[in-house]
């Protein structure tokens, strides 16, 4: 069967969330760039893949998916093995904790960290727009409150869902990676368990491989 | 074993997302009200249940969970039967489609519909604040674009993930229910497949039971 296709710029955060799952399971894949400069994400072909005209989109044979967290889970389910199950749905309690912290990433962590990444990394690089300091400052304060909760959680277990790495952790990689290239990276030093957790994630071969490409943007 | 406990006002949208799952599977549960008037959601006891000081929180024996979508999935996994599996994780393609449309609810539908519900229902009832018409108008425009995608999707299958009802559909219930009590409810008439889908959901015994209580707020 042809390798799965991921549609979208590889350096995009939401695309990277899919790629890190593919790298973790060692699946073959192909990246098909979507050119925002020519509005390709709003083209009829792309709207068939993602009706909201966003990235990423994903194709595996006849199956088309969108929404990065849904795609990531599909990949981890499809390729799971006894020794490599990053989405342990067979264990009721573990599955619940993975879901809790995946939701926390989406609804608490991401809303705090992503504006900093947009203002300090994406807008300057893509649009030549300098950071809006008010947005950055407000988001840093918001992020501190989130990191306090993470510090407490990660003082009790090595990873967010427990003493096992999971999709909940991997899902934090793209925005945290870009955040670490901003002047605010040192914020993590005040949260030693969070810092140690990030260092463990950053040392994973999947993350190191993708980070090497993403660094070109930051 | 003691019945599961759901912490939070039963009429709250995010609490209702948990309750509809409990009703669907017929599980015993107890609602423990959390009094926002006395800031009980920020009390030490509640912060142990939900470190972000939000509702709902959930207790099942020794297991404490938060984040409504994570709790809902836990309930559907725990009580699933061959005839009643609203989270079909054993089927790779069905599971993926449920995830896609659960993410769409969280990241596309909810950001469009929830400001209308806050402005037209929650703020007037809870805080005596009249609707901010600018926010309502902008959100209605946003919602129309989302409903166009839903209309197309629901013209191909009876439910969002396919021809089977799932968590993806149920997760839409709380905000849609309150939206239907606003002057903008007639918007759904322009999207006949969406309207028929909502009518099917609203006719479910679980939804009818919860709606009877929630109607008091609207």
């Amino acid at each position: 069967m042809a390798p799965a296709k991921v549609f979208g710029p590889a350096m995009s955060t939401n695309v990277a969330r899919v790629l890190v799952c593919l790298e973790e399971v060692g699946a073959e894949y192909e990246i098909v760039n979507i050119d925002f400069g020519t509005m390709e994400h709003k083209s009829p072909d792309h709207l068939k893949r993602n009706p909201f005209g966003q990235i990423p989109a994903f194709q595996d044979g006849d199956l088309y998916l969108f929404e990065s967290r849904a795609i990531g889970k599909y990949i981890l389910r499809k390729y799971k093995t006894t020794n490599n199950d990053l989405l342990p749905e067979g264990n009721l309690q573990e599955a619940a904790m993975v879901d809790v912290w995946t939701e926390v990433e989406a609804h608490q962590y991401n809303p705090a960290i992503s504006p900093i990444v947009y203002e300090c990394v994406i807008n300057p690089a893509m649009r030549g727009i300098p950071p809006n300091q008010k947005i950055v400052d407000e988001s840093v304060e918001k992020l501190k409150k989130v990191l306090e909760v993470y510090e407490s959680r990660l003082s009790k277990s090595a990873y967010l869902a427990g003493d096992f790495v999971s999709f909940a952790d991997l899902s934090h990689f793209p925005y945290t990676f870009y955040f670490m290239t901003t002047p605010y990276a040192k914020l993590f030093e005040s949260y030693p368990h969070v810092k140690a957790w990030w260092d463990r994630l950053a040392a994973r071969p999947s993350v190191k491989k993708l980070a090497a490409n993403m660094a070109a943007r930051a």
Side-chain angles (χ1 to χ4, degrees), chain A:
Chain A
M1 197 157 102
K5 285 183 183 167
V6 182
F7 298 85
M11 291 192 304
S12 151
T13 48
N14 290 337
V15 176
R17 184 176 290 114
V18 171
L19 300 182
V20 75
C21 294
L22 288 160
E23 289 291 341
E24 282 285 337
V25 299
E28 265 193 273
Y29 65 92
E30 182 188 332
I31 297 171
V32 183
N33 190 45
I34 296 293
D35 186 352
F36 279 63
T38 61
M39 295 290 283
E40 193 182 355
H41 55 304
K42 303 295 182 191
S43 68
D45 276 353
H46 192 67
L47 286 169
K48 274 185 217 159
R49 297 174 202 125
N50 182 334
F52 294 99
Q54 296 172 344
I55 50 131
F58 179 80
Q59 182 189 358
D60 187 16
D62 294 336
L63 182 67
Y64 282 85
L65 301 175
F66 58 99
E67 287 287 343
S68 63
R69 294 176 187 86
I71 302 168
K73 289 179 188 180
Y74 168 81
I75 293 162
L76 299 182
R77 261 186 217 117
K78 176 166 174 174
Y79 293 98
K80 78 170 172 188
T81 63
T82 316
N83 298 326
N84 190 14
D85 186 359
L86 294 155
L87 196 67
E89 290 174 336
N91 180 312
L92 199 56
Q93 181 155 347
E94 288 182 0
M97 295 312 289
V98 172
D99 281 341
V100 166
W101 289 95
T102 302
E103 294 293 328
V104 169
E105 183 272 319
H107 298 291
Q108 308 281 353
Y109 188 87
N110 199 34
I113 203 168
S114 69
I116 305 171
V117 169
Y118 275 99
E119 294 299 328
C120 296
V121 183
I122 299 177
N123 278 345
M126 307 281 283
R127 299 180 190 89
I129 302 171
N132 177 325
Q133 199 57 40
K134 187 167 175 285
I135 295 178
V136 173
D137 291 345
E138 284 170 2
S139 301
V140 167
E141 289 310 306
K142 216 164 144 182
L143 183 60
K144 283 183 191 169
K145 291 198 175 70
V146 174
L147 291 179
E148 274 170 36
V149 175
Y150 275 57
E151 181 65 12
S152 167
R153 172 69 195 167
L154 292 165
S155 70
K156 297 185 190 87
S157 59
Y159 294 97
L160 288 169
D163 284 319
F164 58 95
V165 66
S166 75
F167 180 64
D169 306 294
L170 295 178
S171 201
H172 287 72
F173 148 62
Y175 278 104
T176 311
F177 172 77
Y178 282 125
F179 177 82
M180 287 301 181
T181 70
T182 75
Y184 303 95
K186 60 183 181 300
L187 187 62
F188 271 52
E189 305 291 343
S190 307
Y191 306 94
H193 290 94
V194 180
K195 180 63 168 56
W197 164 78
W198 172 247
D199 288 344
R200 278 193 296 277
L201 287 181
R204 295 180 76 80
S206 64
V207 171
K208 282 166 83 171
K209 182 173 168 186
L210 295 172
N213 278 325
M214 290 161 75
R217 177 187 207 162

